[in-house]
Amino acid sequence: MHSSIFRCWRLGALLATLGTTSAFAVDERPIAGPRLPRLTCYAGYLKLEALLGLEGVRAAIRQAIALKDQAALLFLEQRLAEVIGKDAQAALQVMEWAHATQEPEMSLYLRAVRETEAVRSPAVVDRLATMAESHPDPRHQTSALVALETQHRFEPAMLERLTTMARRDTLPLLVTLLTVRTIGRVMDNDFQRTGRFDPYMSKLLEVARGSTVPGVRSLAIEMGTYPDARIDGPSLQQLAKLQLEDPDPGVREMAALVMSSGRDTQAVLDAFANAFPQEKKECVRWAIVRYAVRAAGPRALPLLKDFAKQDARFRQDYTEFKALYDAGQVDFNRVFPRKAIHHRCGGFAE
């Protein structure tokens, strides 16, 4: 099943539990839609910008904020991105303004930087990472992380910095979650361009092994569903270990999901066979059952039959999956929707 179905459901649920208010919400709106014709904006804003360039755009932004002129702010945000363009020094100047100011000015500056080519300049990447790591205001940290998600790739040193940040217990939880998401989204960007996956997944699993927060561990594992990549080698082994040993049922269930994309199907089934007898939670056992089918299709039926012998609650599942495959169904995307659900389990249904 395509990974997009699973993406970031955990982050959304965690943000809800954090009780984040609109004042602290992460503003990651893209610059989208048609640009406003210049004649629709107040001439005074354009005059300020024309006279003073980058400083003129800043002055116009401040004037529009004071007047609560949302149409002008949208135009000026787009215009600021255009003025920055490929100029890394201009991007760094705007980031200095962002560092020293508050909302709504701060996030407007960082959204504009995010939409430029300059955002991928090494100096700009370093400055965004520094803001994310050390700014005293979590709003600045989260906005910097959202801007970092536009990178095509992370060099090893930057990936290490963000991994270290994701493992820091002193950060606000929202900042930690967005750090993990940033690694995952850049992993996806890099994978789509080059097929590179393992360096990022290795670091995400390092976070999953080292964090004391179940939600962070679960999200770090979930990022493995972003690219349409096949998990194998050490990553698969680490996921199998997490499925056996992590104290949180949600983390164990997420490990089962990501393992179902394993390249070595037999290794995945062996890991599920090893985990099922030791697992005490019905819902995690149900995850193992359905992800075994997702991983191997009808090849998983002998394993499901064994699971049904170990736990009578899964006899009907085995019977129904077998009937669907015997009837000629081959695609899990078609099999699972036709399957009745007999277990009262939260989370998500794929």
Side-chain angles (χ1 to χ4, degrees):
M1 175 168 297
H2 195 279
S3 63
S4 63
I5 293 175
F6 311 109
R7 292 181 179 177
C8 273
W9 71 271
R10 180 74 68 179
L11 181 59
L14 286 166
L15 297 186
T17 63
L18 284 173
T20 50
T21 65
S22 58
F24 190 67
V26 180
D27 192 341
E28 51 180 314
R29 294 171 296 160
I31 294 177
R35 297 185 184 280
L36 296 172
R38 285 178 178 261
L39 293 178
T40 66
C41 291
Y42 294 112
Y45 295 134
L46 297 176
K47 183 181 292 186
L48 282 169
E49 181 231 310
L51 288 173
L52 299 174
L54 196 65
E55 289 283 355
V57 181
R58 184 190 192 191
I61 287 169
R62 288 181 161 179
Q63 183 174 332
I65 289 172
L67 294 173
K68 298 181 180 180
D69 188 339
Q70 295 302 315
L73 283 171
L74 174 60
F75 169 82
L76 291 165
E77 181 179 322
Q78 296 168 348
R79 183 66 183 125
L80 182 58
E82 290 176 343
V83 172
I84 295 169
K86 300 179 181 179
D87 188 344
Q89 289 304 312
L92 290 170
Q93 177 61 74
V94 172
M95 290 174 62
E96 286 305 310
W97 296 341
H99 184 275
T101 193
Q102 299 299 318
E103 293 283 44
E105 195 174 345
M106 178 274 293
S107 63
L108 185 153
Y109 290 150
L110 292 180
R111 286 198 310 273
V113 168
R114 185 181 66 188
E115 298 298 324
T116 68
E117 292 186 56
V119 75
R120 283 178 282 278
S121 164
V124 174
V125 173
D126 179 74
R127 187 68 186 88
L128 285 169
T130 300
M131 185 181 293
E133 290 167 327
S134 60
H135 200 286
D137 177 21
R139 294 173 180 81
H140 285 73
Q141 293 176 291
T142 55
S143 292
L145 287 164
V146 170
L148 273 176
E149 291 180 349
T150 61
Q151 299 304 302
H152 290 167
R153 61 174 290 161
F154 281 143
E155 297 299 332
M158 181 57 60
L159 184 55
E160 186 63 39
R161 281 176 71 177
L162 290 174
T163 303
T164 299
M165 184 176 167
R167 295 185 61 180
R168 280 169 52 188
D169 292 335
T170 55
L171 289 174
L173 180 55
L174 177 59
V175 175
T176 305
L177 292 170
L178 286 174
T179 304
V180 171
R181 192 183 74 170
T182 297
I183 296 172
R185 287 192 166 175
V186 175
M187 172 176 68
D188 188 34
N189 295 343
D190 200 350
F191 180 79
Q192 300 306 325
R193 288 175 171 83
T194 69
R196 208 168 68 115
F197 173 77
D198 289 337
Y200 301 93
M201 193 63 198
S202 175
K203 290 302 182 182
L204 288 167
L205 290 173
E206 184 178 318
V207 174
R209 294 193 308 272
S211 176
T212 61
V213 182
V216 172
R217 299 198 302 274
S218 184
L219 184 62
I221 295 169
E222 183 191 352
M223 290 300 101
T225 69
Y226 259 56
D228 291 324
R230 304 300 299 274
I231 310 292
D232 61 6
S235 292
L236 189 60
Q237 296 168 11
Q238 291 175 45
L239 284 165
K241 187 176 176 66
L242 283 164
Q243 188 186 20
L244 280 172
E245 298 179 359
D246 195 279
D248 185 78
V251 174
R252 299 197 299 275
E253 181 174 345
M254 188 60 70
L257 163 60
V258 180
M259 285 174 62
S260 68
S261 296
R263 188 180 301 278
D264 186 341
T265 302
Q266 189 56 53
V268 173
L269 294 179
D270 290 344
F272 288 161
N274 188 37
F276 191 90
Q278 300 183 51
E279 180 56 59
K280 305 305 180 186
K281 296 289 187 179
E282 178 184 357
C283 289
V284 183
R285 282 190 164 188
W286 167 229
I288 293 171
V289 167
R290 67 186 188 269
Y291 294 141
V293 177
R294 180 175 186 258
R299 289 177 53 196
L301 289 174
L303 183 59
L304 265 60
K305 185 176 182 179
D306 185 55
F307 290 162
K309 291 178 180 178
Q310 297 180 51
D311 188 336
R313 291 173 296 184
F314 296 95
R315 288 176 184 170
Q316 192 170 359
D317 295 302
Y318 163 69
T319 300
E320 291 172 354
F321 274 125
K322 185 175 186 302
L324 286 164
Y325 283 114
D326 286 348
Q329 299 292 341
V330 295
D331 185 351
F332 185 73
N333 287 340
R334 296 180 181 274
V335 169
F336 193 77
R338 290 170 167 78
K339 168 75 174 68
I341 306 300
H342 307 292
H343 310 278
R344 294 184 177 180
C345 297
F348 53 91
E350 63 303 332

